[in-house]
Amino acid sequence: MQPIKASSYEIVFNTSGYEALNTFIRISTYSKIFIIVDSNTHEHCLSTLLSKLETSTAIEVIEIVPGEENKTITTCSGVWDALADLDADRKGLVINLGGGVVTDLGGFVASTFKRGMDFINIPTSLLAMVDASVGGKTGVDLGNLKNLIGVINNPKLVLIDTGFLATLPKIEMRSGLAEMYKHGLIADQGYWQQLSDLTAMTTENLNKLIHDSIVIKNEVVLKDPTEQNIRKTLNYGHTLGHAIESYCLSHAELKTLLHGEAIAIGMILESYISSKLTGLPQIDLDQINTVLSEMYDAVRFTQKDINHIIELLKHDKKNSNGKVKFVLLEHIGKGVIDQEVPNELIYEAFDFYATPIN
Ligand code: GLY
């Protein structure tokens, strides 16, 4: 797969990606390399990376506890302590080897330790490959509020090794797929159509779909790296999706949803709202609802849940002047930003979501 050029770095793939990684490290003369893993990537991915790294630079491994609930400043503090104990200086390199929690948190730790160390992302989950590791967003959650603390700072390189997906649980694959659907819905109708029928999927097809998903995201980020306008479209499904994810995280009686599962629900709800406010054709709404409802289990929300989810919207990062701003769709392949939505329509969208498809 061809490398993809981002603003100041490249996204490289598989065998040639490891060659690019080794070349980059050779010419950069880092004082030490710090690989951040969680216990899963320590067990399943670290030996692969170490076997491919060709360097005489000293390597240290820092392990964090896996899971979104550990994407916190407390975990960052532990990693900052470890870096200090291991005598990290600003000429050190951090390599984040893991899913979105590791790449978001590791990027933030590296960006802030001694006012900034270089970092490289090697995403190991589908979600991190197609979304989290690309575009420079780094950060952690604040309590149950997603990604409230962070900075935008680009990695020096992103290496996608699709071989890591072989050990990824199916539920995690589905979670990552949600961001790929999103890329089609906001920017590329043809890409969405390819994703809407995955029955004949092969590894080769999947690699191509991953590559194309990153191309779509990268094109959006290149136009608007600091999210002043078009990059906001990448938040499609995330206004309600994040609120649902946060709410489920803090309510033990509700199943904890993976990020992509929550975003899929958000995309169905926001498609319904789009059909009422921004002209999304009924045929597009029906297709989105059918494809996403087939891929993701339905979640039942009570009236009380919905009230609390709507209350959480006030923390959304896209809000301005106290107003909640949604990304909606004009049609499949065209997102539109900064849309205000009356609460009644959000309640209606939850009714639509709860209605079985005939
Ligand atoms: N995950 C959305 C973005 O990077 O802008």
Side-chain angles (χ1 to χ4, degrees):
M1 283 183 282
Q2 286 301 310
I4 299 169
K5 269 214 164 316
S7 52
S8 57
Y9 63 99
E10 272 197 330
I11 302 141
V12 294
F13 293 84
N14 297 334
T15 307
S16 58
Y18 283 106
E19 285 162 16
L21 172 69
N22 283 321
T23 305
F24 176 81
I25 291 174
R26 193 173 57 249
I27 59 179
S28 305
T29 62
Y30 286 109
S31 55
K32 240 185 201 182
I33 297 171
F34 302 89
I35 304 179
I36 302 183
V37 290
D38 65 20
S39 50
N40 296 322
T41 57
H42 200 159
E43 184 183 341
H44 297 293
C45 309
L46 182 63
S47 58
T48 303
L49 172 60
L50 292 177
S51 72
K52 309 253 172 154
L53 269 181
E54 292 162 5
T55 179
S56 54
T57 308
I59 296 174
E60 305 280 1
V61 176
I62 300 173
E63 184 183 309
I64 64 170
V65 182
E68 184 69 33
E69 62 280 19
N70 299 301
K71 195 175 151 185
T72 62
I73 281 291
T74 311
T75 305
C76 291
S77 203
V79 183
W80 285 318
D81 283 341
L83 287 169
D85 289 346
L86 293 166
D87 298 324
D89 60 31
R90 289 163 81 177
K91 285 294 292 167
L93 171 71
V94 169
I95 298 183
N96 300 313
L97 178 67
V101 172
V102 170
T103 59
D104 280 10
L105 184 145
F108 180 65
V109 164
S111 302
T112 46
F113 187 80
K114 297 196 175 173
R115 299 209 176 87
M117 298 169 71
D118 286 356
F119 68 98
I120 285 175
N121 286 334
I122 307 186
T124 57
S125 70
L126 183 59
L127 187 118
M129 288 179 190
V130 297
D131 188 20
S133 69
V134 174
K137 283 191 179 173
T138 73
V140 292
D141 301 337
L142 183 68
N144 293 320
L145 302 175
K146 297 269 307 159
N147 301 330
L148 225 66
I149 310 297
V151 296
I152 294 184
N153 186 29
N154 283 323
K156 291 289 168 197
L157 190 73
V158 176
L159 164 59
I160 311 277
D161 177 351
T162 51
F164 288 134
L165 297 178
T167 55
L168 194 71
K170 265 213 170 76
I171 180 173
E172 296 276 356
M173 287 296 280
R174 270 202 297 267
S175 178
L177 199 52
E179 298 289 358
M180 298 165 71
Y181 285 125
K182 179 197 75 183
H183 290 154
L185 288 175
I186 59 151
D188 190 331
Q189 184 162 27
Y191 184 71
W192 160 265
Q193 292 305 346
Q194 288 178 57
L195 287 178
S196 60
D197 180 10
L198 295 174
T199 42
M201 177 61 67
T202 63
T203 308
E204 215 166 285
N205 290 344
L206 178 64
N207 285 353
K208 168 100 173 69
L209 287 169
I210 292 171
H211 185 273
D212 292 354
S213 200
I214 298 170
V215 168
I216 295 173
K217 172 162 184 182
N218 186 50
E219 276 171 8
V220 174
V221 173
L222 280 175
K223 285 185 194 140
D224 177 25
T226 57
E227 201 169 296
Q228 305 305 310
N229 42 71
I230 193 176
R231 184 166 182 174
K232 290 183 194 170
T233 58
L234 292 172
N235 293 306
Y236 180 64
H238 285 59
T239 306
L240 282 159
H242 267 163
I244 290 168
E245 190 180 1
S246 296
Y247 183 73
C248 291
L249 259 179
S250 59
H251 286 77
E253 71 280 12
L254 280 166
K255 173 177 169 261
T256 299
L257 293 175
L258 292 180
H259 177 70
E261 294 177 303
I263 296 318
I265 300 171
M267 288 193 289
I268 295 175
L269 296 168
E270 292 176 17
S271 297
Y272 175 83
I273 296 168
S274 301
S275 74
K276 300 293 169 192
L277 284 187
T278 51
L280 180 74
Q282 184 68 37
I283 186 172
D284 287 11
L285 171 64
D286 290 343
Q287 199 190 31
I288 296 167
N289 192 23
T290 304
V291 169
L292 298 183
S293 299
E294 268 173 15
M295 183 59 71
Y296 301 95
D297 291 341
V299 177
R300 278 180 197 286
F301 297 105
T302 64
Q303 205 56 36
K304 180 175 139 271
D305 297 333
I306 297 169
N307 293 342
H308 281 114
I309 288 165
I310 292 177
E311 186 59 22
L312 280 171
L313 294 177
K314 66 170 181 258
H315 298 290
D316 193 83
K317 289 189 294 306
K318 294 183 304 308
N319 297 352
S320 64
N321 301 322
K323 297 234 161 53
V324 183
K325 296 287 172 73
F326 281 74
V327 178
L328 298 177
L329 297 179
E330 280 178 4
H331 55 79
I332 290 177
K334 176 91 173 82
V336 42
I337 62 171
D338 291 339
Q339 299 296 308
E340 282 176 36
V341 176
N343 278 357
E344 307 81 77
L345 209 48
I346 304 179
Y347 284 105
E348 255 184 49
F350 274 99
D351 287 342
F352 171 77
Y353 176 68
T355 310
I357 299 174
N358 295 323

